[in-house]
Amino acid sequence: MTGQVGFENEVSAPGGLRDRKKLKTRLAIEDAALELFSEKGFEATTVDDIAERAEVSTTTFFRYFPNKADVILTEQIERLPSLRQSIIDQPGSDSEIEALRNAIQQEWVGHIDPVRTARTTKAISSSRLLRGLGHEIGHTWQIAVSEALARRRGLRKVDARAWLAATMALSVFGDSVKSWADSGCRGDLGKAVDRGFDTLQSLCDDWASSPDR
């Protein structure tokens, strides 16, 4: 469940010219950092290297990111609110599995960029620090998703059902992304995610029909 996805470079954000320029600068820093992490490794890349590649000053870099690790990790958190709301808004007639599948497909899968994901995955796999932070990100995802599931059922607190459903769904998503990244991000990630959820649903059906249950 670690955060190892790279989302698409969205430069057409709403707002005025100043906001668009700020977003363009931030994305330039992100792209420069991911390129360098892929080329040199996370540990060997300095903030000066990133600033030079992005054609900004180090002062500008620190206006956008507290440190170089946040270049990768901040993005993983920023997409959570839209996913959380999408889970809550899924039809009440859908099961937790279907609600999570649809929300993940709508809010995450369609916005994942293969090049950025490949670079992000390579950077995280090469750094012990990033792997540890990635696990923390995964835990943050799990909390947000389980809270959304609980709220969807009118609960004030997360119960065991919501926590387990979030754990299983994010594991399916994480395994699908890892397999996709290992293949060079070739093929259709959405179909891979669907196959994972189909397998999960099949297992749930088998458990429900088991005479030993």
Side-chain angles (χ1 to χ4, degrees), residues 45-82:
T45 300
T46 66
V47 170
D48 286 340
D49 293 333
I50 298 170
E52 181 179 0
R53 177 71 64 92
E55 298 183 343
V56 300
S57 67
T58 54
T59 301
T60 298
F61 175 94
F62 287 118
R63 287 198 193 109
Y64 290 87
F65 301 101
N67 54 64
K68 63 181 182 179
D70 277 306
V71 175
I72 286 181
L73 300 174
T74 298
E75 186 181 42
Q76 312 293 322
I77 297 297
E78 289 180 342
R79 291 279 176 167
L80 269 179
S82 61

Side-chain angles (χ1 to χ4, degrees), residues 113-188:
D113 179 83
V115 174
R116 283 182 152 220
T117 296
R119 289 172 175 168
T120 299
T121 301
K122 185 174 180 180
I124 291 176
S125 65
S126 69
S127 168
R128 181 177 296 178
L129 171 63
L130 287 181
R131 288 198 299 274
L133 292 173
H135 283 296
E136 291 183 18
I137 294 294
H139 185 65
T140 301
W141 286 5
Q142 190 171 9
I143 292 171
V145 170
S146 61
E147 287 177 345
L149 286 173
R151 181 175 170 184
R152 184 171 175 267
R153 289 194 284 121
L155 302 178
R156 293 186 177 181
K157 294 183 178 180
V158 173
D159 62 359
R161 175 172 175 157
W163 186 259
L164 183 58
T167 302
M168 292 190 298
L170 289 172
S171 293
V172 166
F173 175 71
D175 287 345
S176 299
V177 171
K178 184 179 184 304
S179 297
W180 184 61
D182 288 345
S183 72
C185 296
R186 292 187 295 270
D188 190 321

